[in-house]
Amino acid sequence: MAEPARGAHDMIEWKISEALVDYDAALRFMEDRADAIAAGTAPECIWLLEHPPLYTAGTSARREDLTDPDRFPVYDARRGGQYTYHGPGQRVVYVMLNVGRRGHDVRRFVQQLEQWVIATLDAFNVRGEIRDGRIGVWVTRPEKPRLPDGSPAEDKIAAIGIRLRKWVSFHGLSINVEPDLEHFSGIVPCGITEHGVTSLVDLGLPVTMRDVDVALRRTFPQVFSG
């Protein structure tokens, strides 16, 4: 399902896939669409989907962080970051946006993606936070035992990793809605061992994928308004 929506600079196609999407097919689509956006022959695109269970390796992935290599298929994502899990119950958001027309500022663009996730989580009264040196969005877990240094436990709820081609982004972010969190045990997510992984449902919220999609659509213009 796809429909055009007015974006900050141009028409943006919002594409939603109901069935699980093969990773290689998604990668081919993103690469082709990024080229078309750069050439001016296609509008920007945001694709909301789910993948079958799989692991992806970013450009900084360390082999030792793939602790169960035979569990699920492993793909070379060619995006920034380390190992990430994708699977049913996780909303993957692929963002094919013209960063060149949005200021040629990659750092700001990544910060906007982070703020988009935070605004989306806020719609469900979940406080997402950013941590220096840790990619993604985190939530504190005061009900869990504190860390050895006395700080509160924190779990990751969203991952972010992008790639640029001719100043057009692809890949994007993922928000854990209701995935099987045990599937993350086959990797060291993003190379971080001292913190866990959570989801909206794990936090006790009866949130559906459709609820998250509505929040993503509503908050996008708030963050990418200029």
Side-chain angles (χ1 to χ4, degrees):
M1 178 171 67
E3 70 176 276
R6 177 65 63 183
H9 296 280
D10 203 350
M11 295 294 290
I12 297 178
E13 177 187 1
W14 287 76
K15 178 180 170 69
I16 303 176
S17 294
E18 303 292 345
L20 299 181
V21 178
D22 174 77
Y23 189 80
D24 282 332
L27 189 59
R28 288 193 298 271
F29 177 90
M30 286 191 288
E31 291 177 338
D32 290 345
R33 188 57 168 262
D35 287 341
I37 293 169
T41 58
E44 295 176 306
C45 179
I46 296 175
W47 189 7
L48 310 180
L49 57 86
E50 295 171 83
H51 285 304
L54 58 91
Y55 298 128
T56 66
T59 54
S60 301
R62 299 175 298 187
R63 181 65 182 177
E64 61 269 25
D65 288 342
L66 181 62
T67 58
D68 191 354
D70 299 322
R71 187 172 194 177
F72 298 128
V74 181
Y75 294 89
D76 179 9
R78 303 194 293 279
R79 51 148 176 83
Q82 301 186 40
Y83 281 107
T84 300
Y85 166 76
H86 292 313
Q90 181 189 71
R91 176 50 89 211
V92 175
V93 185
Y94 287 140
V95 288
M96 290 148 275
L97 299 176
N98 193 326
V99 181
R101 292 179 60 186
R102 293 168 182 271
H104 288 91
D105 190 334
V106 179
R107 182 175 181 180
R108 178 174 180 267
F109 181 69
V110 172
Q111 290 172 342
Q112 287 176 312
L113 292 176
E114 293 170 340
Q115 291 304 313
W116 188 23
V117 172
I118 289 171
T120 299
L121 295 175
D122 186 63
F124 307 105
N125 296 314
V126 173
R127 182 178 178 181
E129 298 179 290
I130 305 303
R131 293 289 181 262
D132 289 340
R134 284 193 259 141
I135 302 298
V137 178
W138 302 78
V139 295
T140 57
R141 305 298 302 272
E143 74 279 12
K144 288 188 173 184
R146 286 181 169 266
L147 299 176
D149 64 1
S151 60
E154 297 182 345
D155 287 342
K156 190 171 189 175
I157 195 167
I160 296 174
I162 65 165
R163 185 181 176 192
L164 293 184
R165 175 182 290 179
K166 299 177 182 177
W167 284 102
V168 176
S169 69
F170 53 110
H171 296 286
L173 59 94
S174 60
I175 299 174
N176 296 331
V177 181
E178 193 179 8
D180 186 337
L181 295 178
E182 201 278 330
H183 288 176
F184 285 88
S185 65
I187 58 172
V188 178
C190 299
I192 298 170
T193 59
E194 64 270 29
H195 300 286
V197 181
T198 191
S199 69
L200 288 166
V201 171
D202 182 54
L203 293 174
L205 300 169
V207 177
T208 68
M209 200 69 70
R210 186 173 297 274
D211 294 332
V212 172
D213 292 349
V214 170
L216 285 164
R217 289 289 300 267
R218 183 186 302 125
T219 56
F220 179 84
Q222 299 171 15
V223 178
F224 293 90
S225 59

